[in-house]
Amino acid sequence: MLCLLGGPAAAQQKKADATWIWYPGDYEIWLSNKMQARRTERGAFFPPLWRYYSPYALVTFQKHFTLPEDDIIRISAEGDCKIQLDGAMYYGDPSRMTVPAGKHHLTVKVYNQERTPALFVQGKHLASDPSWEVTYEDKEWIDETGRASGQSGTEWQQAGSWNFNSPENNPSAFKLETTPQYAVSVSEEEHGVITDFGKETFGFIRLHGLKGEGKIKLYYGESEEEARSVEACETLDEITVDDTLPETYTLDTSKAFRYVQVRTEGTARVDSISMLYEYLPLEYRGSFKSSDDLLNEIWEVSAYTMHLTTREFFIDGIKRDRWIWSGDAYQSYLMNYYLFFDNPSVKRTLFALRGKDPVNSHINTIMDYSFYWFLGVYDYYLYSGDKDFIRQIYPGMVSLMDFCLQRRNENNMVQGLPGDWVFIDWADGLSKEGEVSFEQLLLARSLEAMSLCAGIVEDNEAAETYKKETEALKQDIFSAFWSEEEQAFLHNRVAGKTIDKITRYTNMFAIFFDYLNGQQKQGVKQNVLLNDEVQQITTPYMRFYELEALCAMGEQEYVLDEIRDYWGGMLNLGATSFWEKYDPSEKGADQLAMYGRPFGKSLCHAWGASPIYLFGKYYLGVKPVTPGYETYSVEPDLGGLKWMEGKVPTPEGEIEVYCSTGEMRIRGAGGTGTLTFRSKIPPVCREGEIKNTAEDTYQLQIAPGETYNIKYKYKN
Amino acid sequence: MLCLLGGPAAAQQKKADATWIWYPGDYEIWLSNKMQARRTERGAFFPPLWRYYSPYALVTFQKHFTLPEDDIIRISAEGDCKIQLDGAMYYGDPSRMTVPAGKHHLTVKVYNQERTPALFVQGKHLASDPSWEVTYEDKEWIDETGRASGQSGTEWQQAGSWNFNSPENNPSAFKLETTPQYAVSVSEEEHGVITDFGKETFGFIRLHGLKGEGKIKLYYGESEEEARSVEACETLDEITVDDTLPETYTLDTSKAFRYVQVRTEGTARVDSISMLYEYLPLEYRGSFKSSDDLLNEIWEVSAYTMHLTTREFFIDGIKRDRWIWSGDAYQSYLMNYYLFFDNPSVKRTLFALRGKDPVNSHINTIMDYSFYWFLGVYDYYLYSGDKDFIRQIYPGMVSLMDFCLQRRNENNMVQGLPGDWVFIDWADGLSKEGEVSFEQLLLARSLEAMSLCAGIVEDNEAAETYKKETEALKQDIFSAFWSEEEQAFLHNRVAGKTIDKITRYTNMFAIFFDYLNGQQKQGVKQNVLLNDEVQQITTPYMRFYELEALCAMGEQEYVLDEIRDYWGGMLNLGATSFWEKYDPSEKGADQLAMYGRPFGKSLCHAWGASPIYLFGKYYLGVKPVTPGYETYSVEPDLGGLKWMEGKVPTPEGEIEVYCSTGEMRIRGAGGTGTLTFRSKIPPVCREGEIKNTAEDTYQLQIAPGETYNIKYKYKN
């Protein structure tokens, strides 16, 4: 086929950029239902514990547009569709509809009970894209004469979309990418063969050289112990071999593993196994390298952990749940901003978690997880500046917040009612009773998110109301839980009586929420964060926040040591991805157990990857100041390293930072940055003007895309 | 195979009666989505105007039970399922699960995104049935040790079911029955062949003797004019003939028609056509016959009209919409009680109409149609006495009523807001403006229904509240709309000013709602019902209520004349089923037009069948007094006929009535009846004691199943 570039022939071939569109959130809900129902436990189906929502089965898309000339458009739909041009029913061929030049109104109603109703329209000028409007209830009716009512009351939303940009690439057929991977070693045992793929991985096992008749059984293991344990491994597969199977057979369900034990029954035999690694194609836009090889390895393993758990959605872990947990996902969002900066993954996950109305329970049934969801929206806007998404998600924010507020007690505080799981953390003896200060703190931050987003959608009255609610709750939190004596927040209040117990959670969050004054922060740091008598945290989940709080207090050097100990500790035990939980005091196979099962623990858990976030935000020191990195700050902190370098992604390019004790090299991205640093000598930079803002503190404005080379002498 | 009856072998074969179960309402929603999306207009897909809901994709079923001995049960599910016995995961074969004797708790979680999750369990003792509980959100969670939480907050409902009583008979495969039918005449025309099936019918066309290549086009007509009109017939089909088609080919979509025009293109040829009549198998339990053959024919054609429109659900008409409209369905419920007494059809329709939460608009977007839905629930309970259904539907009643009450204005009255279709009736120039008295009246009755049902589910506080709301609204209706001068309700109030206009609607409903005293009733009868200057009703839809009101006022003789005129008028024009609208003044083809289209009118519309209801309730005179016909009344009224006889179905058998001017024969059904009649002479009955309750009025108690022969002299 001859393809002419440019000239009149090409102009005739020209098609407008089109993408598949749907009701915002609906495809995400549908895809997440499918994905989350893929969990199995020893071969048995194991769906989520919480409620499933479904897409609207019947939706209407519309577009008002003006054509400069006649256009021939092709309409493709996932589902049956009814097409109306300028209010008149179209009975013709949807793959070739001629629309004359001029002003028009196209309406397409799509019905699909099984999959998400979706639409693709493409002409020379007209194309389906997120500017189309969509509704689940087109309240139109006619009178006896066939005239349509003018008073419709229909509520339209901007259409949702992702990256399905051709008519053939229909959303319901979405699959992750795959690529072949091979074993690094194979060992024959008495009853089976154990294959080692060299590191934690995820994919479809392929069986080569199948022959005979009988069963082949696969026992998966994140550890060798697990793959050996026919009785207790968490996942397994079974294939019946007969002459209908090809010589090479690929399983149709993907699993997480490093090791696989293969056993055969009857005359069934298999020569070898390999795998198709299954992944979401993403660019590693963030990076980190330093003078400390251990930290570099920790960053690499964190990034791999993060990639393995960033799939159709941000999931918790790849072996067991493979579900979307809001608290886990919240950390993935933050890590994502310093690694992939993949907005669609954040949006998909937020939509999937929120589901639809009515709200009958907290997200994942967990109270804290509802609040993390609000925090996730707040941060997404800060990092991306994406107002369109806020407009799409705002109705869902309001109904979830209504649910939360209706569950407050007479003190306007939340506490666990029947059906509410108050989680906080996996920690021995942690009280969930009564009014837990941590939950109130998260609610306060959620109310802040509501106020911000209400402002974006110009619901100004609501913005004001939420602001007042926030202020009132913050005051109540201080009067109920702040101990002047201990200079720390107490954990909870039961039946009106504040319990004299301090835990880390509320205290560390209050620091990076910036709810404390300088003196209070110092109190919390000394009396809680650096106080070994306060119960230690053993999950990477809460280590994330603990270390963030310490970093926010300038304890970068201390935190690096902690990272070397804790994440380095996992590496010492052979980790190739980071774990759901790590307790250095546990020995041997105990490290693999959880939930009362010998291999219950996930060895690849998103919340294990937090160093990505800490290195980017608190060492390279880059963060947005206004939404979407329109302005941002760079405050490198070596934390005792000789040098470090890395990239932090933003909506418009990466910010690049090199920092040693004598030199800095900063390259700006799209927005305007402010570099702040301390120096023992007056610093020099040819490319920009350095201002001395305090005794030994200096600032430099970073223009979009410019590079600055600075000579200075690092001061902590 | 040898089949032993009785004895130990048979005992071993015994299986408990089981039926497929699901979340109540979910199968009905799914099936109604499918059915309502089958509407086409000239080949183009034409789905409903209103919102679609979907079944819960993930539901949990549970049963606590005690087995007298070990039981081997078979579990079948529509969807993937997770089975837990006594809290422990079951990894074995679900078609053969052994449950030991004793007390147990079985939980089955079923996931199905495409169809309604459904479950069938059958053992010797254990079986799935409506006593099982089901939830869409099993709020269980575990702690780190794997222990389940005790504080679940899960809300369980009684399972829904219908008549799918074997594991192979799965609900999603449901199809109506079919039976062959043949043409009564065929006429060859210039361009095509017109086949007449002799009467209005519904089904799949079969093409016989197919040969050649090309297209075959089918033009359907409820009238011959429509089938002839290639340009304007409402429905059509097109088949491409080639050598892959069998000689006899049955279309896969069913249509309504009496006439079909067949045209061929190319060398395609067809010898003849027949059809598969498609229907819901139902028993005609009610009957009516009298000394007037015209009335007998009207009853027969009404019953056929009713059967054609009683399908997966009660639909409006079979040609065009094939949708479930609440106002239309409400009349079908009432007719059903006097013809099929098929409770499942009423329940399916009420569930499908209600959909799910949240409520964002009125049912079918029509305000009056929300209220008819409440009335439908009220009547269903009165006729069936089915408390289980009330318990299942009550949560949906509450949320719909909340929606209605929230839309009231400062006078606590409803009026059309954007998105509300105020329908009332197809009538020229009918005002829908402001506070329409008719809508308030329907709301008052709906509040009565709420109060009744709240009492049934023992929500006593709500019952009291709804009762107070009812009383307050009734008073407001009288003070706003009752004209002492005109002794009638006025139509509406706009901007605080009552408009000096009377229409029939509010007035006739107030009569059979029994909201008027004797004097007021007489006023309404004379000034409205029998007053030709008040705008006439032209739809069978509202004729239903108008005639009911007149019957309730004892005008049976007048009403019979009206029936002869109006329904007889349609028969005179060749009707074989009754119409959507009939205006005797229209001539020729104008009778076929509606909605601005020459064949827009439906010639088989459920609301055309009301004589069934009137004959049963107001001539045979049978109606329940307490729920489920536990007590009932029989008050035959000949309305000028020499004799009449018929049956009225009840939950337990039919009540049989024969009545002439000199004799009556009554056979009781399950409950206890009271026969009331007037006689010019002292009546005689050997089988029971007749009481003289007023001057010439007599009463007789009818015992269950007993027959009473009465000699008397009929007095009107």
Side-chain angles (χ1 to χ4, degrees):
Chain A
M1 191 183 121
L2 186 68
C3 180
L4 294 171
L5 290 175
Q12 272 177 22
Q13 305 273 347
K14 182 184 162 284
K15 281 180 185 161
D17 288 340
T19 195
W20 283 92
I21 55 175
W22 52 76
Y23 193 91
D26 270 17
Y27 176 67
E28 293 78 2
I29 287 167
W30 177 84
L31 186 65
S32 68
N33 284 0
K34 255 179 78 147
M35 182 195 72
Q36 297 185 102
R38 284 196 210 116
R39 175 177 184 175
T40 54
E41 186 177 292
R42 296 189 60 76
F45 173 68
F46 199 130
L49 310 172
W50 49 81
R51 175 175 182 168
Y52 260 23
Y53 293 90
S54 289
Y56 296 117
L58 178 62
V59 299
T60 310
F61 299 87
Q62 75 166 6
K63 177 79 183 171
H64 294 269
F65 58 98
T66 303
L67 292 178
E69 59 181 333
D70 291 4
D71 200 356
I72 298 169
I73 63 167
R74 170 180 175 171
I75 299 178
S76 312
E78 287 223 61
D80 297 315
C81 70
K82 176 190 173 196
I83 303 165
Q84 285 175 290
L85 184 66
D86 304 324
M89 188 96 163
Y90 175 73
Y91 299 102
D93 176 5
S95 73
R96 205 184 156 77
M97 178 182 185
T98 304
V99 185
K103 215 171 157 182
H104 297 287
H105 176 209
L106 184 65
T107 307
V108 185
K109 207 175 252 255
V110 182
Y111 165 61
N112 196 330
Q113 185 74 58
E114 286 80 27
R115 301 181 304 283
T116 310
L119 180 69
F120 189 90
V121 177
Q122 194 168 43
K124 200 165 142 190
H125 300 282
L126 182 66
S128 52
D129 63 31
S131 74
W132 284 54
E133 288 180 310
V134 58
T135 184
Y136 57 86
E137 186 167 48
D138 185 12
K139 296 186 189 177
E140 287 298 344
W141 60 85
I142 55 164
D143 67 14
E144 193 191 346
T145 67
R147 266 191 322 236
S149 145
Q151 206 198 21
S152 86
T154 300
E155 284 176 23
W156 297 93
Q157 262 283 9
Q158 291 311 113
S161 65
W162 186 9
N163 59 0
F164 302 105
N165 301 336
S166 79
E168 296 74 27
N169 187 14
N170 52 318
S172 72
F174 173 75
K175 278 195 164 72
L176 293 172
E177 301 280 311
T178 57
T179 186
Q181 280 186 356
Y182 304 95
V184 297
S185 74
V186 176
S187 60
E188 302 223 4
E189 315 262 318
E190 197 187 335
H191 298 290
V193 176
I194 292 182
T195 302
D196 177 6
F197 285 90
K199 62 179 179 185
E200 175 85 17
T201 188
F202 192 101
F204 304 88
I205 289 292
R206 311 192 75 188
L207 303 163
H208 304 281
L210 276 176
K211 49 183 166 289
E213 284 197 3
K215 289 206 163 131
I216 294 186
K217 292 183 172 179
L218 304 177
Y219 303 94
Y220 298 96
E222 289 191 310
S223 62
E224 195 168 350
E225 291 90 333
E226 187 179 9
R228 273 183 205 288
S229 175
V230 168
E231 300 74 25
C233 65
E234 293 272 316
T235 58
L236 45 81
D237 268 315
E238 185 180 298
I239 303 102
T240 302
V241 184
D242 55 31
D243 53 14
T244 67
L245 276 197
E247 214 187 292
T248 294
Y249 175 76
T250 306
L251 271 73
D252 55 7
T253 56
S254 50
K255 297 279 189 321
F257 53 86
R258 172 175 168 176
Y259 302 89
V260 182
Q261 181 184 175
V262 179
R263 291 192 175 193
T264 58
E265 288 178 6
T267 60
R269 291 294 176 271
V270 57
D271 286 345
S272 66
I273 65 171
S274 70
M275 67 174 292
L276 287 178
Y277 173 64
E278 188 194 30
Y279 65 102
L280 182 70
L282 287 169
E283 192 190 341
Y284 284 40
R285 293 178 58 198
S287 66
F288 179 83
K289 226 177 190 61
S290 73
S291 50
D292 184 332
D293 285 344
L294 176 59
L295 294 182
N296 299 347
E297 194 186 345
I298 288 171
W299 190 91
E300 292 294 338
V301 172
S302 295
Y304 183 56
T305 302
M306 180 65 188
H307 198 184
L308 282 168
T309 56
T310 303
R311 310 188 66 79
E312 291 90 344
F313 301 89
F314 291 122
I315 59 172
D316 60 336
I318 61 175
K319 174 172 74 173
R320 205 187 51 227
D321 296 13
R322 302 160 61 161
W323 291 344
I324 314 171
W325 292 91
S326 178
D328 308 51
Y330 178 64
Q331 301 193 347
S332 292
Y333 310 146
L334 293 175
M335 294 183 264
N336 168 65
Y337 300 130
Y338 289 92
L339 183 59
F340 309 122
F341 209 100
D342 186 54
N343 289 345
S345 289
V346 181
K347 292 198 289 180
R348 284 196 311 280
T349 305
L350 286 168
F351 270 131
L353 281 170
R354 177 54 195 80
K356 284 185 136 65
D357 291 340
V359 181
N360 290 92
S361 67
H362 284 295
I363 290 181
N364 309 123
T365 76
I366 302 179
M367 187 192 285
D368 3 341
Y369 280 28
S370 287
F371 302 142
Y372 286 121
W373 184 85
F374 289 107
L375 271 55
V377 175
Y378 185 102
D379 291 340
Y380 174 69
Y381 178 62
L382 179 62
Y383 277 88
S384 72
D386 178 359
K387 287 188 180 172
D388 285 342
F389 174 72
I390 301 300
R391 279 186 279 265
Q392 288 175 323
I393 203 80
Y394 184 70
M397 296 179 73
V398 171
S399 48
L400 180 59
M401 183 51 81
D402 283 349
F403 173 80
C404 294
L405 296 181
Q406 277 159 21
R407 292 173 86 77
R408 289 185 297 183
N409 66 13
E410 66 283 6
N411 303 324
N412 266 342
M413 288 195 182
V414 285
Q415 66 182 80
L417 300 179
D420 297 345
W421 183 359
V422 179
F423 174 60
I424 311 174
D425 192 15
W426 294 129
D428 293 339
L430 183 64
S431 171
K432 319 286 176 80
E433 247 192 308
E435 297 155 333
V436 177
S437 59
F438 180 64
E439 302 290 341
Q440 319 310 322
L441 199 82
L442 292 185
L443 173 57
R445 190 63 159 189
S446 302
L447 284 163
E448 279 190 73
M450 288 307 300
S451 180
L452 173 79
C453 294
I456 293 167
V457 303
E458 289 166 23
D459 186 353
N460 296 324
E461 200 182 317
E464 193 52 39
T465 307
Y466 289 125
K467 199 177 159 195
K468 282 186 189 147
E469 289 276 7
T470 312
E471 293 312 319
L473 181 56
K474 275 167 132 179
Q475 280 190 13
D476 291 346
I477 291 170
F478 272 92
S479 52
F481 304 109
W482 182 257
S483 162
E484 279 301 331
E485 193 185 342
E486 316 238 26
Q487 285 292 299
F489 284 109
L490 299 171
H491 182 71
N492 59 343
R493 182 167 71 178
V494 180
K497 198 171 164 305
T498 308
I499 309 299
D500 188 22
K501 178 173 170 91
I502 294 172
T503 56
R504 291 172 187 262
Y505 308 103
T506 313
N507 289 292
M508 63 205 196
F509 274 68
I511 286 180
F512 52 78
F513 284 177
D514 211 13
Y515 282 4
L516 300 175
N517 64 30
Q519 186 199 328
Q520 291 166 333
K521 278 186 185 170
Q522 288 304 326
V524 163
K525 182 171 158 183
Q526 297 309 327
N527 306 333
V528 186
L529 299 183
L530 303 176
N531 178 356
D532 285 350
E533 285 173 23
V534 175
Q535 186 179 0
Q536 295 295 322
I537 284 168
T538 61
T539 57
Y541 176 50
M542 278 291 148
R543 287 296 274 176
F544 189 118
Y545 302 113
E546 186 180 31
L547 298 181
E548 170 156 27
L550 286 161
C551 285
M553 296 290 296
E555 292 293 328
Q556 268 74 351
E557 200 160 342
Y558 175 89
V559 169
L560 274 197
D561 283 340
E562 293 287 308
I563 290 176
R564 287 183 191 100
D565 261 22
Y566 191 83
W567 278 267
M570 286 189 259
L571 292 179
N572 278 341
L573 292 173
T576 57
S577 56
F578 289 123
W579 304 351
E580 183 174 16
K581 189 178 169 183
Y582 170 54
D583 183 345
S585 69
E586 287 177 345
K587 298 287 166 230
D590 286 351
Q591 284 290 7
L592 306 172
M594 207 168 166
Y595 307 106
R597 304 196 303 269
F599 307 104
K601 190 192 286 179
S602 157
L603 299 190
C604 174
H605 226 67
W607 71 28
S610 51
I612 295 168
Y613 172 68
L614 298 173
F615 289 158
K617 186 170 178 187
Y618 292 103
Y619 294 85
L620 299 178
V622 177
K623 63 183 183 196
V625 172
T626 52
Y629 277 93
E630 208 183 331
T631 64
Y632 60 89
S633 66
V634 184
E635 300 181 30
D637 192 320
L638 282 166
L641 291 166
K642 290 204 186 76
W643 59 267
M644 65 183 174
E645 66 179 352
K647 292 181 186 176
V648 173
T650 79
E652 296 179 61
E654 287 82 43
I655 297 162
E656 298 179 17
V657 176
Y658 170 85
C659 176
S660 70
T661 51
E663 264 183 283
M664 270 194 291
R665 193 171 59 250
I666 314 287
R667 187 171 186 280
T672 305
T674 302
L675 171 71
T676 306
F677 62 100
R678 296 171 77 197
S679 178
K680 292 179 185 161
I681 57 165
V684 180
C685 175
R686 267 202 308 200
E687 298 88 352
E689 186 199 346
I690 294 179
K691 283 190 190 150
N692 184 208
T693 56
E695 194 191 347
D696 48 11
T697 304
Y698 299 88
Q699 279 194 338
L700 171 72
Q701 291 302 305
I702 306 164
E706 292 299 318
T707 304
Y708 302 85
N709 294 282
I710 300 143
K711 299 269 179 208
Y712 79 125
K713 194 156 180 165
Y714 183 82
K715 186 174 178 190
N716 189 16
Chain B
M1 192 183 121
L2 186 68
C3 179
L4 295 171
L5 290 175
Q12 273 177 20
Q13 305 272 347
K14 182 183 162 287
K15 280 183 185 159
D17 288 340
T19 194
W20 282 91
I21 55 175
W22 51 78
Y23 193 90
D26 270 16
Y27 177 67
E28 293 78 1
I29 287 168
W30 177 84
L31 186 64
S32 69
N33 284 358
K34 253 178 78 146
M35 181 194 73
Q36 296 186 102
R38 285 198 210 115
R39 175 178 183 174
T40 53
E41 187 177 290
R42 297 189 61 74
F45 173 67
F46 198 130
L49 309 171
W50 49 81
R51 176 176 183 167
Y52 260 22
Y53 294 90
S54 289
Y56 296 116
L58 178 62
V59 299
T60 310
F61 299 86
Q62 75 166 6
K63 177 81 184 170
H64 294 269
F65 58 97
T66 303
L67 292 177
E69 58 181 333
D70 292 4
D71 200 356
I72 298 169
I73 64 166
R74 169 179 175 172
I75 299 177
S76 312
E78 287 223 62
D80 297 315
C81 71
K82 175 191 174 195
I83 303 164
Q84 285 175 290
L85 183 66
D86 303 324
M89 189 97 163
Y90 175 73
Y91 300 102
D93 176 4
S95 73
R96 206 184 154 79
M97 178 182 185
T98 303
V99 184
K103 215 171 156 180
H104 298 287
H105 175 208
L106 183 66
T107 307
V108 185
K109 207 175 251 256
V110 182
Y111 165 61
N112 196 329
Q113 186 73 57
E114 285 81 27
R115 301 181 304 283
T116 310
L119 180 69
F120 189 92
V121 177
Q122 194 168 44
K124 201 165 141 188
H125 299 281
L126 181 66
S128 51
D129 63 29
S131 74
W132 283 54
E133 289 180 310
V134 58
T135 183
Y136 58 85
E137 186 169 47
D138 185 12
K139 294 185 190 178
E140 287 299 343
W141 60 83
I142 55 165
D143 68 14
E144 193 190 346
T145 67
R147 266 192 320 236
S149 144
Q151 206 198 21
S152 87
T154 300
E155 285 176 23
W156 296 93
Q157 262 282 10
Q158 292 309 115
S161 65
W162 186 9
N163 59 359
F164 303 105
N165 300 337
S166 80
E168 297 74 27
N169 187 14
N170 52 316
S172 72
F174 172 75
K175 280 196 163 71
L176 293 172
E177 301 280 311
T178 58
T179 186
Q181 280 187 355
Y182 302 95
V184 297
S185 74
V186 176
S187 61
E188 301 224 3
E189 316 262 320
E190 197 186 334
H191 297 292
V193 176
I194 291 183
T195 302
D196 177 7
F197 285 89
K199 62 178 179 183
E200 177 85 18
T201 188
F202 192 102
F204 304 89
I205 288 293
R206 311 191 76 188
L207 303 163
H208 303 281
L210 276 176
K211 48 184 166 290
E213 284 198 2
K215 291 205 161 131
I216 295 187
K217 292 184 171 178
L218 305 177
Y219 304 95
Y220 299 97
E222 289 190 310
S223 62
E224 194 168 350
E225 291 90 331
E226 187 180 8
R228 273 183 204 287
S229 176
V230 167
E231 299 74 26
C233 65
E234 293 271 315
T235 58
L236 45 81
D237 268 314
E238 185 179 298
I239 303 102
T240 302
V241 184
D242 56 31
D243 53 13
T244 66
L245 276 198
E247 214 186 292
T248 294
Y249 174 77
T250 306
L251 272 72
D252 55 8
T253 55
S254 50
K255 297 279 190 320
F257 52 87
R258 172 174 168 177
Y259 302 90
V260 183
Q261 182 184 175
V262 179
R263 292 193 175 193
T264 58
E265 288 178 6
T267 60
R269 291 294 175 272
V270 57
D271 286 345
S272 66
I273 65 172
S274 70
M275 68 174 291
L276 287 178
Y277 173 65
E278 188 193 29
Y279 64 101
L280 182 70
L282 286 170
E283 192 189 341
Y284 285 41
R285 295 178 58 200
S287 65
F288 180 82
K289 227 178 191 58
S290 73
S291 51
D292 183 333
D293 284 345
L294 176 60
L295 294 182
N296 298 348
E297 193 186 345
I298 288 171
W299 190 91
E300 292 292 339
V301 173
S302 294
Y304 183 55
T305 301
M306 180 66 187
H307 198 183
L308 282 168
T309 56
T310 302
R311 310 187 67 79
E312 291 90 345
F313 301 89
F314 291 122
I315 60 172
D316 60 336
I318 62 176
K319 174 171 75 173
R320 206 188 50 227
D321 296 14
R322 302 161 60 160
W323 290 345
I324 314 171
W325 292 92
S326 177
D328 307 51
Y330 178 63
Q331 301 194 347
S332 293
Y333 310 147
L334 293 175
M335 294 183 265
N336 168 65
Y337 300 130
Y338 290 93
L339 183 59
F340 309 122
F341 209 100
D342 187 54
N343 288 345
S345 290
V346 179
K347 292 198 288 179
R348 284 196 311 280
T349 305
L350 287 168
F351 270 132
L353 281 170
R354 177 55 195 81
K356 284 186 136 67
D357 290 340
V359 181
N360 290 93
S361 66
H362 284 296
I363 290 181
N364 308 124
T365 77
I366 302 177
M367 187 193 284
D368 3 340
Y369 280 28
S370 287
F371 302 142
Y372 286 121
W373 183 86
F374 288 106
L375 271 56
V377 175
Y378 185 103
D379 291 341
Y380 174 70
Y381 178 62
L382 178 62
Y383 278 88
S384 72
D386 177 359
K387 286 187 181 173
D388 285 341
F389 175 72
I390 300 300
R391 279 187 278 267
Q392 288 174 324
I393 202 81
Y394 183 71
M397 296 179 74
V398 171
S399 47
L400 180 60
M401 183 51 81
D402 283 349
F403 173 80
C404 295
L405 296 181
Q406 277 160 21
R407 291 173 86 77
R408 288 185 298 183
N409 66 15
E410 66 282 6
N411 302 325
N412 267 342
M413 288 196 183
V414 285
Q415 65 182 79
L417 300 179
D420 297 346
W421 182 359
V422 179
F423 174 59
I424 310 174
D425 192 15
W426 293 130
D428 293 338
L430 183 64
S431 172
K432 320 287 176 79
E433 247 192 308
E435 297 155 334
V436 177
S437 58
F438 180 64
E439 302 290 340
Q440 319 311 322
L441 198 82
L442 291 185
L443 173 56
R445 190 63 159 191
S446 302
L447 284 163
E448 279 191 74
M450 289 306 302
S451 180
L452 173 79
C453 295
I456 293 167
V457 302
E458 291 167 22
D459 186 353
N460 295 324
E461 200 181 317
E464 192 52 40
T465 307
Y466 288 125
K467 199 178 160 194
K468 282 186 190 147
E469 289 276 7
T470 311
E471 294 311 319
L473 181 57
K474 274 168 135 178
Q475 279 189 14
D476 291 346
I477 291 170
F478 273 93
S479 52
F481 302 109
W482 180 257
S483 163
E484 279 301 333
E485 193 186 341
E486 316 237 26
Q487 285 293 299
F489 284 110
L490 299 171
H491 182 72
N492 60 343
R493 182 166 72 177
V494 180
K497 199 172 164 300
T498 308
I499 308 299
D500 188 21
K501 178 171 170 93
I502 295 172
T503 56
R504 291 173 187 261
Y505 309 104
T506 312
N507 290 291
M508 62 205 196
F509 274 69
I511 286 180
F512 53 77
F513 283 177
D514 211 12
Y515 282 4
L516 300 176
N517 63 31
Q519 185 198 328
Q520 290 166 334
K521 278 185 183 168
Q522 288 305 325
V524 162
K525 182 170 158 183
Q526 297 309 326
N527 305 332
V528 185
L529 299 183
L530 302 176
N531 179 357
D532 286 349
E533 285 172 23
V534 175
Q535 186 178 1
Q536 296 295 325
I537 284 168
T538 61
T539 55
Y541 176 50
M542 279 291 147
R543 287 295 273 176
F544 189 117
Y545 301 114
E546 186 181 30
L547 299 181
E548 169 155 28
L550 285 161
C551 286
M553 296 291 295
E555 292 294 327
Q556 267 75 352
E557 197 159 344
Y558 174 90
V559 169
L560 273 197
D561 282 341
E562 292 287 308
I563 290 176
R564 287 184 190 101
D565 260 21
Y566 190 83
W567 278 266
M570 286 189 260
L571 293 180
N572 278 340
L573 293 173
T576 58
S577 56
F578 290 124
W579 304 351
E580 183 173 17
K581 190 179 169 185
Y582 170 54
D583 182 344
S585 70
E586 287 178 344
K587 297 288 167 227
D590 286 352
Q591 285 290 7
L592 306 172
M594 207 167 165
Y595 308 106
R597 304 195 303 269
F599 307 104
K601 190 191 285 178
S602 157
L603 299 190
C604 175
H605 226 66
W607 70 30
S610 51
I612 295 168
Y613 172 67
L614 298 173
F615 289 158
K617 185 171 179 188
Y618 292 103
Y619 294 85
L620 299 178
V622 177
K623 63 183 184 196
V625 171
T626 52
Y629 277 92
E630 208 182 332
T631 64
Y632 60 90
S633 66
V634 184
E635 300 181 30
D637 192 319
L638 281 166
L641 291 166
K642 289 202 186 75
W643 60 267
M644 63 182 177
E645 65 179 353
K647 293 182 185 174
V648 172
T650 80
E652 295 179 63
E654 287 82 43
I655 296 162
E656 299 177 18
V657 176
Y658 170 84
C659 176
S660 70
T661 50
E663 265 183 283
M664 271 194 290
R665 192 169 61 248
I666 314 287
R667 187 172 187 281
T672 306
T674 303
L675 171 71
T676 306
F677 63 101
R678 297 170 78 197
S679 177
K680 292 179 185 161
I681 57 166
V684 180
C685 175
R686 268 205 306 207
E687 298 89 352
E689 186 200 345
I690 293 180
K691 282 189 190 151
N692 184 209
T693 57
E695 192 192 349
D696 49 9
T697 304
Y698 299 89
Q699 279 193 338
L700 171 73
Q701 292 302 305
I702 307 164
E706 292 300 319
T707 304
Y708 302 85
N709 294 281
I710 300 142
K711 299 270 178 207
Y712 79 126
K713 191 152 181 169
Y714 182 80
K715 186 175 178 191
N716 190 17

